[in-house]
Amino acid sequence: MNKPLPNTFRQGPDGRGRFGQFGGRFVAETLMPLILEVEKAYEAAKRDPHSTRNGGTC
């Protein structure tokens, strides 16, 4: 039986959005505040019923 390959950058993130055995984010520490802000805005947009992705007309 074939054993699944470990997660790599070439394969992309796993189902939880993490890379590699230990997960985490491969981003310079100075960019983390901006990354967290984008993540927060993205999560809010996913929940917004008026979002064009959710069938709204924004």
Side-chain angles (χ1 to χ4, degrees), residues 17-58:
R18 297 194 178 256
F19 290 89
Q21 179 180 0
F22 301 105
R25 301 168 190 205
F26 295 95
V27 176
E29 190 63 31
T30 55
L31 295 176
M32 281 308 298
L34 299 171
I35 297 295
L36 294 173
E37 184 178 339
V38 169
E39 182 180 52
K40 185 177 177 180
Y42 173 72
E43 292 298 327
K46 285 195 323 186
R47 292 188 304 272
D48 183 357
H50 299 291
S51 170
T52 56
R53 184 174 178 116
N54 293 329
T57 57
C58 289

